[in-house]
Amino acid sequence: MEHQKPAIGIIGGSGLYEVEQLRDATELKIETPFGSPSDALIGGKISGRQVYFLPRHGRGHRILPHELNHRANIYALRSLNVRWIIAVTAVGSLQEKYKPRDILLPSQFYDRAGLRATHTFFGEGIVAHISFAEPISLQLRNLLAECAKKTGVAVHNGGTYVNMDGPAFSTRAESELNRRHGFDVIGMTNLPEAKLAREAEIALATLAMITDYDCWKVDEEPVSAQTVFDHLTANAEAAKKVLLEAIPRIPAEPDWPEHRSLDNALVTDRKLWPKATAEKLKPILSRFF
């Protein structure tokens, strides 16, 4: 809804199910044309800025990666005029130099999942092909890097996140292949969020919180859910520190390149847009009406 002030969204990953620092918090249950988001959104203020928080896997961690309704999650945030998203996500490290409890800020993705049909808002008579060569907002990523350094967290600015299906962790052969390809971290959820945010003209950057060495590092125990969850609490606290530092420094007005990503993406002539599809995508396409 464009009359609302531009807001900031936080998608919380494994271990980050709430942000206690939200002031005047209210719970919003939102239904979208794509179904229900992972959970109710929590709206409130941090440093005077309007923020909406969504736990990716639901409170209590109830939703598997392949069960996530990414379209509903991003649509719900965009319908509240969210124009920046900081996505917090647990990842495995594929390189020795990235240690558990470090933060990596991905600059690139490689897709090893296979659910493209559910990773776009478009279709049903309106065609769009977004530019995705640089899938992360550079300005937001650099801002997060500065803020992470200020909080004293070990942070690595840039790297490739390989998106796998899950829910099982990698085999050792898969892990070794990903390493040989030069990928840096591995996860199961963040790539579709980045694609959909770009289609929704939202600037997104990711705090990839390292929990383990996947299973390539033979002198370590192979990754298990217990290994991961042992690091999650520390990672969640580090993420909150970075968020509190970053939110006041995000601009008040959305004027970054990502905020006009549909300018050269929409292929279908406006006169040919089916009325029902245009209405369904109104929060995303409203400036073209």
Side-chain angles (χ1 to χ4, degrees):
M1 301 171 194
E2 292 299 330
H3 63 276
Q4 295 177 304
K5 282 189 176 177
I8 298 161
I10 301 167
I11 298 177
S14 303
L16 183 58
Y17 307 111
E18 60 182 342
V19 178
E20 303 86 348
Q21 293 84 354
L22 274 174
R23 298 284 168 258
D24 306 318
T26 54
E27 192 169 297
L28 298 159
K29 290 191 175 173
I30 295 178
E31 283 301 314
T32 82
F34 299 96
S36 302
S38 295
D39 208 323
L41 283 80
I42 309 299
K45 296 285 178 74
I46 293 178
S47 299
R49 298 296 300 275
Q50 182 62 47
V51 174
Y52 293 99
F53 175 77
L54 177 66
R56 181 186 289 109
H57 297 278
R59 282 170 285 190
H61 205 110
R62 297 170 285 108
I63 306 169
L64 280 166
H66 69 275
E67 296 176 319
L68 288 169
N69 189 339
H70 293 291
R71 287 189 293 190
N73 287 347
I74 301 298
Y75 188 103
L77 290 164
R78 185 65 181 86
S79 72
L80 295 166
N81 206 19
V82 165
R83 305 309 306 274
W84 302 267
I85 289 175
I86 301 171
V88 183
T89 188
V91 295
S93 168
L94 295 167
Q95 305 296 336
E96 184 94 41
K97 60 188 173 182
Y98 306 132
K99 298 177 175 61
R101 304 197 185 190
D102 286 5
I103 296 176
L104 185 133
L105 307 175
S107 51
Q108 284 294 328
F109 289 99
Y110 190 87
D111 191 359
R112 288 201 181 279
L115 298 166
R116 288 183 188 178
T118 58
H119 296 168
T120 180
F121 291 115
F122 292 98
E124 297 179 5
I126 304 179
V127 172
H129 297 286
I130 53 159
S131 173
F132 206 53
E134 299 296 336
I136 290 286
S137 167
L138 177 63
Q139 281 143 301
L140 189 53
R141 174 165 63 88
N142 286 339
L143 175 59
L144 291 176
E146 289 170 28
C147 293
K149 283 173 189 160
K150 279 188 78 172
T151 65
V153 182
V155 62
H156 311 274
N157 189 3
T160 299
Y161 174 124
V162 56
N163 202 108
M164 64 178 284
D165 273 325
F169 295 118
S170 304
T171 67
R172 191 160 276 134
E174 290 166 340
S175 198
E176 288 291 357
L177 183 65
N178 286 326
R179 275 170 52 72
R180 282 202 296 276
H181 280 310
F183 302 145
D184 296 296
V185 294
I186 187 163
M188 302 176 187
T189 58
N190 194 221
L191 173 61
E193 293 170 344
K195 278 189 178 176
L196 290 160
R198 184 62 56 86
E199 286 191 350
E201 298 193 318
I202 298 170
L204 176 143
T206 298
L207 290 171
M209 316 298 291
I210 296 171
T211 57
D212 58 85
Y213 279 113
D214 204 33
C215 64
W216 62 269
K217 205 166 186 292
V218 291
D219 56 337
E220 298 253 340
E221 283 289 313
V223 59
S224 67
Q226 189 58 53
T227 315
V228 169
F229 283 95
D230 282 348
H231 290 300
L232 286 176
T233 304
N235 282 354
E237 291 310 308
K240 286 177 195 175
K241 286 180 187 170
V242 179
L243 291 169
L244 294 176
E245 190 72 36
I247 284 167
R249 297 176 59 183
I250 292 173
E253 291 303 319
D255 61 359
W256 290 350
E258 298 81 24
H259 297 128
R260 300 193 68 82
S261 58
L262 292 178
D263 277 355
N264 300 306
L266 290 160
V267 177
T268 310
D269 190 295
R270 172 70 184 85
K271 297 191 290 292
L272 299 176
W273 288 3
K275 189 175 178 183
T277 307
E279 186 61 32
K280 180 168 91 166
L281 298 182
K282 200 167 183 181
I284 293 163
L285 295 175
S286 58
R287 72 183 181 89
F288 297 95
F289 280 66

